[in-house]
Amino acid sequence: MPSLRDRLIDRNVLLKGFDSAGSMHVIGSIYGLTERAKTEVAKRGWEATSVLRELLLGVKDDFDFVLIDTPPSADALASVALAAADYVIAVCNPRIATADGARVVRNNTVKVPERTGGKCHPQFLGTILNEAKPPSKRTDEADAVDDFLSKWDLKVFNKEIRTSDQISASYGVSRPIVVDEPSYAASRWYEDLTQEILDRLAAVAQGGGA
């Protein structure tokens, strides 16, 4: 297989102005090719599930972290992403339907070793609550979601991302809010959540579990 290095897009410009920021590269997807990839993976079966992990191993010494962002689905490509990961994080909103999606992600993560013939062993790290409401605007459904996530031991992170016009505006200009407006409250939500994720990763590395 060709190296992923030929596909990397340099996005270091986003880190300009940050001290000791390191570097950042991305690989985007194209809808038409994504649909074709789904078909190919489905056609070849579980033997193709580890293909992305094998590609990433070719560049593992180039990066400290590799983030794989997937759509909220349980299709063939989502299975490839789970197999490629060392750790898996689910994201849900304060709605029961999306909370059940987090449970599906956790369950599918547990099945990866068997489905890849022991090649891949991702660990479920936890669930992030996105588009959460502040305490004064919580709904009964939000309380039900909390109960659901606790019942199924989906390891919810303490730090949540709330609904915010500032975040929506950052999507409009295709630049992260933490880059353009680091002093905003929404930026601090992402910073605090990132730190909590790193702390949980460190605890797992030391044998403390997720």
Side-chain angles (χ1 to χ4, degrees):
M1 292 181 288
S3 171
L4 287 184
R5 290 188 181 88
D6 297 333
R7 304 284 184 178
L8 295 175
I9 300 172
D10 188 329
R11 295 299 288 156
N12 290 328
V13 64
L14 291 175
L15 305 177
K16 187 178 180 180
F18 289 85
D19 295 334
S20 303
S23 63
M24 181 170 70
H25 294 76
V26 301
I27 299 177
S29 61
I30 300 173
Y31 180 77
L33 294 180
T34 300
E35 291 303 304
R36 178 182 171 187
K38 287 180 184 179
T39 301
E40 288 296 320
V41 171
K43 182 167 58 177
R44 299 184 186 190
W46 288 110
E47 68 212 35
T49 306
S50 61
V51 62
L52 180 56
R53 183 170 186 83
E54 292 169 20
L55 284 168
L56 289 173
L57 288 175
V59 297
K60 69 182 182 67
D61 294 332
D62 298 351
F63 301 97
D64 293 315
F65 297 96
V66 175
L67 303 180
I68 305 171
D69 185 23
T70 69
S73 62
D75 58 24
L77 288 190
S79 298
V80 170
L82 291 179
D86 292 323
Y87 302 98
V88 175
I89 296 174
V91 179
C92 74
N93 300 336
R95 292 187 287 276
I96 288 295
T98 65
D100 193 49
R103 182 178 64 87
V104 171
V105 170
R106 194 272 310 276
N107 291 349
N108 285 342
T109 301
V110 172
K111 296 174 183 176
V112 168
E114 176 186 351
R115 291 174 172 175
T116 60
K119 287 184 179 180
C120 308
H121 298 270
Q123 296 184 56
F124 184 76
L125 196 65
T127 302
I128 293 171
L129 193 61
N130 190 37
E131 297 184 356
K133 300 290 186 181
S136 60
K137 296 183 179 180
R138 282 182 63 87
T139 63
D140 290 341
E141 186 175 22
D143 292 336
V145 166
D146 286 349
D147 292 341
F148 181 93
L149 296 174
S150 176
K151 172 185 175 181
W152 291 101
D153 191 26
L154 293 173
K155 307 180 188 299
V156 182
F157 287 91
N158 293 319
K159 303 300 181 181
E160 60 188 22
I161 305 299
R162 296 180 180 174
T163 54
S164 167
D165 292 339
Q166 298 168 346
I167 296 174
S168 298
S170 73
Y171 291 146
V173 297
S174 299
R175 287 176 59 84
I177 190 172
V178 294
V179 170
D180 282 355
E181 301 293 347
S183 63
Y184 281 7
S187 296
R188 292 194 293 274
W189 299 339
Y190 284 111
E191 291 171 3
D192 291 345
L193 175 60
T194 299
Q195 186 59 58
E196 186 177 1
I197 291 172
L198 292 174
D199 290 344
R200 194 171 290 192
L201 285 170
V204 171
Q206 294 172 3

